[in-house]
């Protein structure tokens, strides 16, 4: 076997180009940091507080465990008693045990069947809520044609 002439690779990375790229990258990062600092000035603009001022902390709960216990007791009371949620709208609450018993004994309502209120829209209610809506005008026309 004949020995081949050995010489360095000529297609390798040139060190000057690599150093120039690294220097350019560092320069870009430095200029970007300076630009961000100038655009988004994050220095505080308020005046320092006088040293004789006593700082009070935020208004925290004095007794958080007792507050949580009282809150949960109020929730439990509401779940176990009858009461009005909105008397004018006719929305009431019933004890949760009674509600579960009603579902067990009567089952869930069939939501796929239209109710009487859904088949006969209340035009007065719709007109009062949104008087100039096209739905209100259509409702009144349908009610007038159905009579």
């Amino acid at each position: 076997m004949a020995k081949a002439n050995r010489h360095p690779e000529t297609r390798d990375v040139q060190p000057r180009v690599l150093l120039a790229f690294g220097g350019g990258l560092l320069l870009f990062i430095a200029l970007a940091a300076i630009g961000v600092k100038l655009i988004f000035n994050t220095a505080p603009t308020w005046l320092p507080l006088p040293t004789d001022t006593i700082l009070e902390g935020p208004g925290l709960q004095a007794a958080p465990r007792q507050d949580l216990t009282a809150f949960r007791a109020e929730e439990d009371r509401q779940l176990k008693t009858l009461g009005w949620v909105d008397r004018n709208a006719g929305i009431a609450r019933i004890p949760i045990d009674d509600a579960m018993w009603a579902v067990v004994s009567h089952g869930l309502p069939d939501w796929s069947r239209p109710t009487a209120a859904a088949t006969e829209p209340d035009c007065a209610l719709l007109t009062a809520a949104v008087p100039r809506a096209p739905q209100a005008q259509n409702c009144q026309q349908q009610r007038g044609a159905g009579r």
Side-chain angles (χ1 to χ4, degrees):
M1 273 198 195
K3 272 187 158 177
N5 291 338
R6 295 186 182 186
H7 47 81
E9 179 70 40
T10 59
R11 295 179 292 165
D12 204 4
V13 176
Q14 298 174 358
R16 287 184 184 167
V17 173
L18 188 60
L19 288 174
F21 176 77
L25 184 63
L26 289 175
L27 180 67
F28 173 77
I29 291 173
L31 290 176
I34 292 169
V36 167
K37 180 66 177 164
L38 291 175
I39 293 172
F40 303 108
N41 187 7
T42 58
T45 58
W46 61 84
L47 298 175
L49 293 174
T51 55
D52 58 346
T53 304
I54 298 174
L55 297 176
E56 293 185 21
L60 300 177
Q61 291 175 305
R65 289 182 190 235
Q66 290 83 2
D67 292 345
L68 180 61
T69 304
F71 175 72
R72 288 188 175 160
E74 175 60 23
E75 283 183 329
D76 288 341
R77 185 194 65 76
Q78 287 182 0
L79 288 174
K80 295 177 182 174
T81 59
L82 289 171
W84 287 105
V85 175
D86 186 358
R87 186 175 222 146
N88 295 331
I91 302 172
R93 68 172 183 268
I94 62 172
I96 194 164
D97 294 331
D98 295 347
M100 289 190 296
W101 180 252
V103 169
V104 168
S105 56
H106 301 294
L108 290 173
D110 185 9
W111 297 107
S112 63
R113 284 188 322 197
T115 61
T119 57
E120 297 178 15
D122 187 6
C123 294
L125 181 62
L126 184 59
T127 306
V130 233
R132 289 187 284 274
Q135 294 87 350
Q137 294 170 357
N138 293 342
C139 180
Q140 291 174 348
Q141 290 172 356
Q142 289 173 358
R143 293 281 272 188
R147 289 184 179 176

